[in-house]
Amino acid sequence: MTTDHSSATASIHGTWTKRWTFILAASGSAVGLGNIWKFPYITGENGGSAFVLAYLLCILGIGIPIMIAETMLGRRGRRNPIHTMQDIAHSSGASSFWAIIGVMGTLAGVLILSYYSVIAGWALAYIPKLASGEFNGATGAFANAAFGGEGGFLSDYKMLIMWHSLFTIVTVYVVARGIEAGLEKAVRFLMPALIVLLFVLLIYSAVEGAFAQGFQFLFAFDASKLSWNSALVALGHAFFTLSLGMGSIMAYGAYMPKQDSIGKTITIIAVLDTAIALIAGLVIFPLVFAHGLEPSAGPGLMFISLPLAFGHITGGQVFGSLFFILVAFAAWTSAISLIEPGVAWLIERFGYTRRKAALVLGGSAWVLGIGSVFSFNIWQNYKLMGMFTVFDGLDFLTSNIMLPLGGLLIALFVGWAMKPEMVNDELKMENTKLLSAWWFMLRYVAPSAVAFVFAMGVYDKFAG
Ligand code: TRP
């Protein structure tokens, strides 16, 4: 028989004492490559404003309610996501099947980290590139060729592996030292710096870019041209950008002090995260249109458009390298949260040291990541089912399948299987209207919307 840990007041991994720490860590997890790299490129690939609208609706109607639920589970359980789910299911008299949320999430974290660190490696590589001044006065054609052209950045897979390795090492290093050391400072100083630089770029884009066209592309909101597959990508990205559906936020919730208001805190984080993505889009698309680049250029979009801007700004060499430093930091504070659930589990379940757990999971992600490196060069023509490189396949599997399923299960568990008194007790929402609105969204709206978009999107992708 398992012990009931479901009302413990602290986690064995420590509790974040200062009120700010959860907000910093959770926003550090949420804000990352998803906002600055992925959101703009998938928006470009999926046609712009209709996609943006779908994404915003998913954040509001699905993401925020489920994110509150996931954080609440973490704080209630105070253990790693697998044990937390077992404990809470047990004390609610529900089946231990629900631990699947933790199991699938732990796996998804490692799979995501594998390609996440490859892209973060690109950001690292662009720091010295910008500092060297090779983009000074560059044209769109030059930036394009420098990134993806023959003999360009992507073709040098040894270099890509080196940067991927470096990023993996620094990620494993902080996780091995424990969640608090280092992370707090990184988020407290570097995130505001990133936001300031984004605003500087926004001004540049507004003045020098095709701002009206970029704005129109993002916000014209013509719902006519959205395929179900694009709707699924928007849904998947709502989960991805909020670090939702796989236990990251559950693991962090486990370290959240008892008295903090989950609803308020999560809403602040989600709004901040969304704002940063929209600003990144508003920076990138005016540049794309002004320089005749393709909005649908794919994963290279940010690495082609932003060096162009820096190549034309006074002090662009300095600001440009600084920008990519900050992007790499943002990626780092996100990457940590990808393996924290698995690390906490290996420690609690098998008595691993933190160091060993971080090495095992980081090492597995590193090996898998090589497949993503090759997806952009020597394996770029090998496509599973005629559509997926290793990178595409891992991204689709995690963002569009595992995260939505994890989120669906969290909504169903908290909405229907967990004891409601336990939920209300943990949330301590004083505003009863808001509380009932949340229950309604979580029980009915979120699960049916996720299930519907998921089914339609998968069908559209594979059979449509
Ligand atoms: N949200 C992060 C980003 O946007 C990535 C991330 C961190 C993540 N933890 C996660 C994505 C958990 C999905 C699940 O860059």
Side-chain angles (χ1 to χ4, degrees):
M1 189 145 161
T2 51
T3 351
D4 177 12
H5 294 266
S6 71
S7 56
T9 51
S11 150
I12 63 160
H13 303 281
T15 306
W16 287 331
T17 40
K18 287 173 235 101
R19 173 149 205 281
W20 272 90
T21 316
F22 175 80
I23 301 191
L24 287 173
S27 42
S29 167
V31 176
L33 295 173
N35 309 61
I36 298 163
W37 160 74
K38 194 174 181 189
F39 171 73
Y41 104 71
I42 58 177
T43 298
E45 282 185 340
N46 289 281
S49 62
F51 176 83
V52 175
L53 182 61
Y55 157 77
L56 292 175
L57 289 176
C58 289
I59 294 277
L60 207 66
I62 298 169
I64 294 178
I66 298 183
M67 197 172 177
I68 291 173
E70 190 179 325
T71 312
M72 181 278 298
L73 286 172
R75 190 167 71 180
R76 188 75 190 179
R78 290 280 190 225
R79 302 178 80 196
N80 68 79
I82 297 178
H83 285 125
T84 284
M85 289 311 303
Q86 273 170 357
D87 291 347
I88 299 179
H90 180 254
S91 46
S92 290
S95 149
S96 55
F97 154 83
W98 293 104
I100 186 82
I101 295 174
V103 175
M104 189 171 67
T106 298
L107 178 67
V110 176
L111 297 181
I112 296 175
L113 180 64
S114 78
Y115 65 86
Y116 201 84
S117 61
V118 171
I119 311 296
W122 297 359
L124 287 174
Y126 265 64
I127 300 169
K129 267 181 173 304
L130 273 136
S132 76
E134 79 167 84
F135 290 102
N136 290 353
T139 60
F142 175 86
N144 229 331
F147 181 76
E150 204 167 323
F153 175 67
L154 284 188
S155 62
D156 190 353
Y157 60 82
K158 288 195 188 121
M159 184 86 106
L160 301 185
I161 291 177
M162 191 199 83
W163 291 110
H164 161 58
S165 312
L166 182 63
F167 186 82
T168 308
I169 290 168
V170 296
T171 302
V172 167
Y173 176 77
V174 246
V175 177
R177 286 191 39 187
I179 47 157
E180 191 148 42
L183 178 70
E184 195 166 341
K185 275 196 209 96
V187 185
R188 194 188 294 260
F189 296 106
L190 300 172
M191 179 119 69
L194 178 68
I195 295 174
V196 169
L197 257 190
L198 272 176
F199 271 104
V200 172
L201 281 173
L202 182 62
I203 294 170
Y204 175 80
S205 251
V207 176
E208 299 289 334
F211 195 75
Q213 201 181 345
F215 191 87
Q216 175 86 6
F217 183 75
L218 287 170
F219 298 115
F221 292 155
D222 44 350
S224 55
K225 39 177 188 189
L226 195 71
S227 68
W228 281 111
N229 177 50
S230 295
L232 175 60
V233 177
L235 174 72
H237 189 62
F239 284 101
F240 187 95
T241 194
L242 296 175
S243 299
L244 192 58
M246 54 72 63
S248 271
I249 238 53
M250 201 189 294
Y252 278 11
Y255 316 136
M256 188 185 195
K258 206 76 191 159
Q259 66 281 3
D260 285 14
S261 154
I262 296 178
K264 245 186 253 163
T265 311
I266 291 304
T267 308
I268 294 172
I269 295 168
V271 168
L272 174 80
D273 183 79
T274 308
I276 292 180
L278 294 177
I279 294 170
L282 272 179
V283 167
I284 287 177
F285 286 107
L287 296 170
V288 165
F289 293 118
H291 291 277
L293 302 173
E294 274 304 319
S296 59
L301 190 66
M302 156 181 130
F303 295 91
I304 299 167
S305 58
L306 293 185
L308 269 179
F310 290 119
H312 294 266
I313 295 179
T314 339
Q317 273 172 252
V318 175
F319 285 127
S321 8
L322 186 60
F323 179 81
F324 281 98
I325 291 174
L326 296 173
V327 169
F329 267 107
W332 188 40
T333 57
S334 301
I336 294 165
S337 72
L338 284 166
I339 47 170
E340 178 62 25
V343 165
W345 176 67
L346 287 176
I347 296 171
E348 288 177 42
R349 175 75 176 73
F350 299 105
Y352 278 32
T353 58
R354 210 166 228 290
R355 221 176 115 148
K356 182 172 170 197
L359 272 173
V360 167
L361 295 183
S364 319
W366 181 83
V367 173
L368 252 181
I370 306 290
S372 288
V373 167
F374 290 161
S375 303
F376 295 98
N377 36 64
I378 54 180
W379 290 355
Q380 62 179 322
N381 296 320
Y382 293 119
K383 296 212 169 147
L384 188 69
M385 307 167 82
M387 52 176 128
F388 296 119
T389 61
V390 174
F391 165 76
D392 299 329
L394 283 174
D395 180 37
F396 187 84
L397 174 68
T398 51
S399 308
N400 300 350
I401 307 238
M402 294 173 96
L403 299 181
L405 278 184
L408 177 63
L409 289 172
I410 289 171
L412 292 176
F413 177 76
V414 175
W416 300 96
M418 191 173 164
K419 283 212 182 84
E421 312 85 74
M422 220 189 262
V423 177
N424 287 333
D425 172 57
E426 195 62 47
L427 286 180
K428 294 189 197 58
M429 258 199 237
E430 281 139 28
N431 187 328
T432 49
K433 277 210 188 98
L434 270 183
L435 183 64
S436 3
W438 175 79
W439 272 109
F440 180 75
M441 298 303 285
L442 191 80
R443 285 192 146 159
Y444 303 100
V445 179
S448 43
V450 173
F452 185 68
V453 174
F454 181 78
M456 298 299 283
V458 169
Y459 179 81
D460 187 27
K461 177 89 183 171
F462 295 107

